[in-house]
Amino acid sequence: MIQNDLFLRAHRGEAIERYPVWLMRQAGRILPEYRAVRSKLSGFKELVETPEFATEVTIQPVDLLNVDAAIIFSDILVVPEAMGLPYQMIEQKGPWFENTIRSQQEFDRLDQQIDVQDRLWYVFEALKQTKTALNGRVPLIGFAGAPWTILCYMVEGKGSKTFSESRKFLYTQPALAHLLLQRITDVTIAYLKGQVAAGADALQLFDSWAGILGDAQYNEFGIKYISQICEAFPETPLTVFSKGAIGSLPALAQLPCTTLGLDWNMDVNVARNLVQENMTLQGNLDPCVLYGSPQIIEAETKKMLKSFKSQRHIVNLGHGVYPDIDPEMVKVFIHTVQNYAI
Ligand code: CP3
């Protein structure tokens, strides 16, 4: 039994007393308590791969910020690693892959028929330990990268402003792109099934680089695979967050999932008109609002809340919270939402 199940009720479109709120990237560098745990370790990967530590930092925002949901501490890049493409997280720089997938030969070198339970055991173990530690206080979110965003990292091998290698790949080797996307999709479904079995109450797909494709291309190389993932989870609350894919909102509104994540450039009421009462919307305050004064944060948050014309909302930022945002300002945001009568 979950004591505070507002988040799950909002996903399902059931009645709620107030809007639930959590933040993408809530477990992480905004919290001094996170940095303290992190500084004792060899690096980011040790934190991700040690269930005791991952559990500790997953719970921190529940204790310290009073959010209405916990998200398991991990990274979307554990999936390419499980497929045979290991990554390093380089301090101050971000992810880096020694090998990339840009040819059939490189694709053939990926591990085939992997045992997801065996390769990603540490995520499942962290979920189990977190469930125990949460003791039913709030729901626990599991997640994965959407296939297109994972392909971006596998082809590019690192972060990029344009992901032009990845976009080039779609034009030069579309058949191989589809093979790779299908492989990622199959592994992701097995991975998310494992997360649900280990205790995840809801799931989120992060398609961080959705917005760099045109709408037709995003349909073909993005939504097609997201749709397969949604179909595999008819019973689980699932959020699809396709950052930047404004022109694809009508197509996203047709997905068989409970919830659409909106970034801060997406208009909540345009999305509401598309989904009607059939889907929950999550988002979408500009994370930069949290650099403002408490008065500004309260005013902007209330402006967003007042614009909602339905109960089917989960409040969040329009993307992950930036690492240098003051946790006290995050608390102002959360407090404003939790004290707003609907
Ligand atoms: O609190 C949470 O949301 C849970 C944990 C979480 C992390 N990454 C931890 C993390 C989640 C959900 C992610 C998702 C993720 N990872 C995405 C999708 C969301 C988005 O922001 O668009 C992406 C694209 C990644 C890949 C990734 N991981 C990059 C590009 C980087 C480096 C840049 C950065 O943000 O630091 C990471 C590292 C990372 N993942 C950190 C954390 C807390 C920072 C590492 C550190 O502590 O040094």
Side-chain angles (χ1 to χ4, degrees):
M1 266 297 286
I2 294 175
Q3 290 134 38
N4 171 359
D5 67 346
L6 277 170
F7 171 80
L8 296 176
R9 280 189 270 144
H11 266 295
R12 298 190 191 110
E14 295 168 11
I16 49 172
E17 307 79 66
R18 62 167 177 82
Y19 294 117
V21 56
W22 69 284
L23 285 83
M24 293 185 274
R25 297 293 190 103
Q26 65 191 18
R29 290 164 299 179
I30 55 159
L31 295 174
E33 291 82 357
Y34 168 85
R35 294 197 296 268
V37 175
R38 175 85 161 67
S39 67
K40 290 187 293 191
L41 308 176
S42 62
F44 176 74
K45 286 188 81 174
E46 187 182 352
L47 184 48
V48 166
E49 291 165 9
T50 313
E52 289 72 19
F53 295 132
T55 297
E56 187 180 347
V57 301
T58 299
I59 306 279
Q60 281 176 348
V62 179
D63 289 335
L64 299 164
L65 303 172
N66 194 36
V67 285
D68 294 310
I71 180 162
I72 193 67
F73 189 83
S74 186
D75 202 88
I76 63 169
L77 302 177
V78 302
V79 165
E81 181 158 87
M83 294 171 69
L85 213 62
Y87 72 97
Q88 291 173 40
M89 194 60 79
I90 299 174
E91 296 293 326
Q92 317 291 343
K93 280 192 123 170
W96 186 77
F97 291 82
E98 190 178 338
N99 299 308
T100 52
I101 309 295
R102 297 181 186 180
S103 66
Q104 181 72 46
Q105 214 181 14
E106 285 166 339
F107 176 78
D108 292 340
R109 265 188 240 132
L110 286 173
D111 297 334
Q112 290 175 39
Q113 309 290 343
I114 59 161
D115 179 348
V116 169
Q117 281 298 327
D118 176 58
R119 298 221 172 176
L120 293 168
W121 68 273
Y122 52 87
V123 181
F124 305 126
E125 183 57 30
L127 283 157
K128 285 181 197 153
Q129 292 189 17
T130 302
K131 271 308 262 190
T132 306
L134 277 175
N135 195 22
R137 275 193 286 166
V138 290
L140 177 57
I141 307 167
F143 71 89
W148 160 246
T149 288
I150 296 300
L151 176 143
C152 280
Y153 286 102
M154 293 178 85
V155 170
E156 207 85 28
K158 54 183 175 358
S160 161
K161 283 203 171 74
T162 58
F163 280 93
S164 53
E165 281 297 336
S166 312
R167 289 188 294 124
K168 170 177 150 190
F169 190 66
L170 301 187
Y171 291 107
T172 55
Q173 305 191 72
L176 185 58
H178 280 299
L179 275 181
L180 180 55
L181 287 164
Q182 190 61 57
R183 177 78 65 84
I184 297 166
T185 301
D186 295 342
V187 172
T188 300
I189 290 172
Y191 176 47
L192 292 173
K193 292 234 155 158
Q195 292 193 40
V196 172
D201 301 293
L203 298 170
Q204 177 156 326
L205 283 176
F206 287 91
D207 214 352
S208 307
W209 302 111
I212 65 175
L213 297 182
D215 300 338
Q217 239 183 355
Y218 187 53
N219 246 322
E220 181 182 351
F221 295 98
I223 295 178
K224 178 177 167 199
Y225 297 94
I226 290 176
S227 186
Q228 287 184 32
I229 298 172
C230 295
E231 277 162 16
F233 296 92
E235 307 292 340
T236 310
L238 193 161
T239 303
V240 174
F241 176 55
S242 293
K243 185 170 181 295
I246 298 183
S248 293
L249 278 175
L252 293 166
Q254 300 302 316
L255 282 171
C257 62
T258 53
T259 306
L260 273 194
L262 304 179
D263 72 34
W264 69 93
N265 285 313
M266 293 170 170
D267 187 286
V268 171
N269 286 306
V270 167
R272 175 58 65 203
N273 287 336
L274 289 167
V275 305
Q276 299 293 323
E277 283 298 307
N278 299 320
M279 270 184 177
T280 304
L281 299 174
Q282 176 175 279
N284 69 338
L285 195 74
D286 181 349
C288 285
V289 167
L290 303 187
Y291 291 116
S293 64
Q295 291 74 18
I296 299 252
I297 297 168
E298 199 182 317
E300 290 295 322
T301 304
K302 281 187 175 160
K303 201 198 303 175
M304 173 182 69
L305 295 166
K306 279 189 190 132
S307 79
F308 293 172
K309 295 190 171 55
S310 159
Q311 285 205 353
R312 283 200 85 165
H313 284 275
I314 294 166
V315 176
N316 205 308
L317 301 178
H319 198 196
V321 60
Y322 300 131
D324 62 342
I325 281 177
D326 179 353
E328 289 307 315
M329 298 301 122
V330 174
K331 286 186 196 166
V332 174
F333 167 61
I334 291 170
H335 186 83
T336 305
V337 179
Q338 293 179 338
N339 286 286
Y340 182 84
I342 51 176

